């Protein structure tokens, strides 16, 4: 796809492809087939207005005002007013990347030709994408049912010359952008304002980032977990394939394969083959079951999102001039539940990581000093970093209440069940940010434990990880400002440096980290 232009409304989006478009790796635009469908659908709406057929949102009010009939001469004013009146978002602006993803997803939905929008409107949205003139969107205000009304209203205020945009590193008024680029506000036709703000693009854009970030965290969980096991001289027998064939969850089998591969040919593993330890704590031997269950949740979110990325979530749907349907495709419940599931799955890999950190500090394993420091008393060692993991896992637990379990009626009872999926989307990414910090601390502890196992070496894959850490974070002999180290480790993890290095080393050494599972955990 990288050498071709993605055609909105004709080609199929995946999480990876959305990110490639957002990062400028793939160009995208309207194909001829989409243009024809969009034009025909736009004409259908014009005919509906001219013939004075009553269609919700075209010549009626919105929500509880659906019985208010709007005159033909006021139908355009209606569309401008809905963008202004629904721009009630509050809170901090969402990340610019997420706002850009929202634009991409709206292009895909509208380009399928069921929403009555004009080609000129789509071309202007695509101009914003291609020129990185990204609207400023507040993070709060959507209940995730009549579409993400408030955030989408802010997203499209610039089409009519209002609102703010992030352009060339600065937040500026849309009027200033128009002056710089020689643009004019577009003329919204009947139905267009409603089509722009009705949809689940705020929820889905947050889900795109969650799929990307949780995928990285799951790979990281296996890596840092394997490193911790090495430092603790744990057993690799709980990862044997035969064990997992008799309880064959794909996620569990996949994690077990990865752990076997990450630990293969390790001197540390071989050094305690005949040790007297009967079994390891759950946080070590149950990694396939725990990490694997979270992988299953990730796959569910990805698969649900793949449907949503290519769906039409507008209302009403215009099939043709004679067939318009006021339905509920805008309702966020199909994404809200998987997002809440993914939030819990994310929190759990943080919980088990904190337990592994604690194991490395308690001094119960031969060769590892208490608190991973030889001279304690005057030094606290890694005691307090584990306080931070404890605080973060508890914060995550408090974030695990599912917003989708709640519903507050809106629009004078017309919209009497809502998904709150927008909160679910934001919530999972909050938890993932905390997970990055938890894993950063485990990575630091595991690298410290490695040093106490020298001169024995781990596998080529895990030695690569150790080297990455030690390039930027020195072995701790005495106390220092560990907060600085935590941030460095967090950046190593969040930027995919750790996972990419393992994958590159595996490729260079013909090591198969995927096994029989191939690309079932791909974002493409």
């Amino acid at each position: 796809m990288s050498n071709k232009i993605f055609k909105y409304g004709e080609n199929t989006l995946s999480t990876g492809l959305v990110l490639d478009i957002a990062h400028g790796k793939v160009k995208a635009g309207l194909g001829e087939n989409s243009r024809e469908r969009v034009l025909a659908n736009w004409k259908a709406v014009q005919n509906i207005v001219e013939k004075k057929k009553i269609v919700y949102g075209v010549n009626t009010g919105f929500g509880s005002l659906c019985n208010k009939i709007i005159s033909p001469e006021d139908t355009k004013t209606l569309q401008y007013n809905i963008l202004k009146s629904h721009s009630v978002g509050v809170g901090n602006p969402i990340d610019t990347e997420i706002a850009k993803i929202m634009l991409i997803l709206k292009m895909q939905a509208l380009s399928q030709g069921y929403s009555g929008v004009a080609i000129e409107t789509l071309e202007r949205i695509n101009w914003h994408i291609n020129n990185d003139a990204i609207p400023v969107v507040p993070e709060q205000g959507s209940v995730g049912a009549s579409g993400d009304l408030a955030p989408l209203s802010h997203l499209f205020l610039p089409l009519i010359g209002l609102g703010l945009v992030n352009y060339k590193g600065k937040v500026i008024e849309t009027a200033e952008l128009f002056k710089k680029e020689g643009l004019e506000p577009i003329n919204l036709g009947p139905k267009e304002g409603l089509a722009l703000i009705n949809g689940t693009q705020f929820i889905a854009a947050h889900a795109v980032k969650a799929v990307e970030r949780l995928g990285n965290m799951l790979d990281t969980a296996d890596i840092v977990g394997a490193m911790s096991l090495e430092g603790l001289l744990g057993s690799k027998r709980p990862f044997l394939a035969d064990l997992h064939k008799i309880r064959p969850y794909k996620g569990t089998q996949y994690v077990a394969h990865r752990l076997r591969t990450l630990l293969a040919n390790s001197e540390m593993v071989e050094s305690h083959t005949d040790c007297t330890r009967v079994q390891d704590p759950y946080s070590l031997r149950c990694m396939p079951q725990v990490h694997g269950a979270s992988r299953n949740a990730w796959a569910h979110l990805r698969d649900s999102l793949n449907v949503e990325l290519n769906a039409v979530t507008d209302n009403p749907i215009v099939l043709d001039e004679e067939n318009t349907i006021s339905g509920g495709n805008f309702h966020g419940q199909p994404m809200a539940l998987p997002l809440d599931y993914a939030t819990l799955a994310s929190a759990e890999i943080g919980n088990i990581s904190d337990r592994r950190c604690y194991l490395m500090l308690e001094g119960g394993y031969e060769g590892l000093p208490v608190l991973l420091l030889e001279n304690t008393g005057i030094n606290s060692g890694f005691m307090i970093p584990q306080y931070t993991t404890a605080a973060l896992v508890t914060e995550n637990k408090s974030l695990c209440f599912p917003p989708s379990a709640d519903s507050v009626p809106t629009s004078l009872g017309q919209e009497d069940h809502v998904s709150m999926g927008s909160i679910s989307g934001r919530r999972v990414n909050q938890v993932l940010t905390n997970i990055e910090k938890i894993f950063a601390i485990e990575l630091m502890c595991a690298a410290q434990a490695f040093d106490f196992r020298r001169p024995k070496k781990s596998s080529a894959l895990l030695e690569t990880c150790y080297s990455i850490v030690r390039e930027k974070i020195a072995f701790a002999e005495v106390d220092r400002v560990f907060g600085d180290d935590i941030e460095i480790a967090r950046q190593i993890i969040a930027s995919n440096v750790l996972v990419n290095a393992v994958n590159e080393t595996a490729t260079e050494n013909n090591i198969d980290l995927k096994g029989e599972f191939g690309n079932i955990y791909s974002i493409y």
Side-chain angles (χ1 to χ4, degrees), residues 37-38 40-46 48 55-58 112-117 190-191 194-195 312 314-327:
R37 290 200 305 270
V38 168
N41 201 252
W42 175 81
K43 288 179 178 177
V45 172
Q46 308 309 305
I48 288 170
V55 174
Y56 171 74
V58 175
Q112 296 181 53
Y114 295 102
S115 302
V117 299
K191 174 79 168 60
L194 183 59
V312 179
D314 186 12
N315 184 63
I317 298 300
V318 181
L319 299 177
D320 54 49
E321 185 181 337
E322 303 301 325
N323 292 287
T324 61
I325 304 172
S326 282

Side-chain angles (χ1 to χ4, degrees), residues 248-265:
Y249 290 106
K250 280 190 170 57
T252 303
Q253 290 181 300
Y254 182 60
V255 171
H257 170 83
R258 281 175 55 82
L259 290 170
R260 290 195 304 271
T261 308
L262 288 163
L263 295 165
N265 302 315

Side-chain angles (χ1 to χ4, degrees), residues 194-247:
L194 183 59
L196 290 168
I197 72 169
N198 236 327
T200 59
Q201 285 74 36
F202 182 89
I203 298 172
H206 281 80
V208 166
K209 288 303 296 180
V211 166
E212 178 192 30
R213 296 178 71 198
L214 179 52
N216 177 43
M217 289 300 98
L218 288 165
D219 285 349
T220 302
D222 298 342
I223 293 166
V224 296
M227 290 182 69
S228 295
L229 182 138
E230 286 280 65
L232 291 161
L233 298 184
S235 174
K236 66 177 182 179
R237 284 186 61 77
F239 314 139
L240 291 176
D242 287 346
L243 175 65
H244 300 286
K245 284 178 181 177
I246 58 177
R247 196 191 189 199

